[in-house]
Amino acid sequence: MFKRSTPILASLNRAETIAFYTEKLGFHFTTENNGYLIFEREDIHIHLFPCSDPAECRNMGCYLYVTDIEQLYAHYQTLGIVHPNGLLKLMPWGLRQFAVVDNNGNIIYIADDRPALKAEV
C-alpha cells in the first residue's frame, strides 16, 4: 500500500541549506515557498521548513536508501561530509549504512538494505 516517504527536516539558513543539498549531496533544488525548500535526486525528495531557533529544530533525521553505497560513501568522504561517528559499517539490524549531518544539524543516514555478509563493511 505505501509507496514513498518524503522527510521534512529543519532549515536554519536558506542559502547554506541550498548550497549543502545541491553542492554536497547532489540534489536538485526544485521549489521554494515562503522559505519551505524542496529538493530531489532521482526518486528521493527532501523537504526543509524554515526554522529560526536551533533549540526548537533539533533531533531531526531520516534514512535514504541507495544502491552503490560504497561509491556514494567514497564520494561523500572526499567532500568531508561523512560524520566521524557515522562511518560505513554493517549494523546489527542488517543495514549497511553511514551518516552525514547537514548544515542544520539534521542527521541523514544513507543505507543499503540488501543482504550483506557479516564480514562486509
Side-chain angles (χ1 to χ4, degrees):
M1 291 187 169
F2 292 95
K3 291 182 74 175
R4 186 177 340 173
S5 176
T6 301
I8 302 174
L9 306 172
S11 171
L12 297 169
N13 181 298
R14 177 192 176 280
E16 290 176 8
T17 298
I18 292 170
F20 186 88
Y21 280 82
T22 58
E23 296 169 15
K24 302 286 186 177
L25 294 184
F27 278 74
H28 301 283
F29 176 50
T30 63
T31 308
E32 178 178 5
N33 186 0
N34 294 322
Y36 190 93
L37 309 173
I38 299 176
F39 298 87
E40 64 181 45
R41 180 173 177 175
E42 299 173 34
D43 289 332
I44 302 291
H45 296 86
I46 297 178
H47 294 197
L48 290 104
F49 66 92
C51 180
S52 59
D53 184 355
E56 292 181 11
C57 302
R58 60 184 181 162
N59 299 325
M60 295 189 177
C62 66
Y63 267 91
L64 302 180
Y65 294 94
V66 301
T67 58
D68 298 323
I69 194 168
E70 294 86 2
Q71 180 181 355
L72 192 58
Y73 177 70
H75 176 67
Y76 285 173
Q77 275 191 310
T78 64
L79 295 175
I81 61 172
V82 173
H83 191 278
N85 295 327
L87 303 180
L88 181 62
K89 64 182 175 180
L90 178 63
M91 304 307 288
W93 49 89
L95 288 179
R96 291 180 324 127
Q97 71 179 46
F98 67 94
V100 170
V101 176
D102 75 5
N103 64 296
N104 306 294
N106 298 310
I107 189 160
I108 301 169
Y109 293 103
I110 300 177
D112 180 350
D113 60 355
R114 68 184 173 155
L117 301 174
K118 293 286 182 191
E120 276 189 83
V121 176

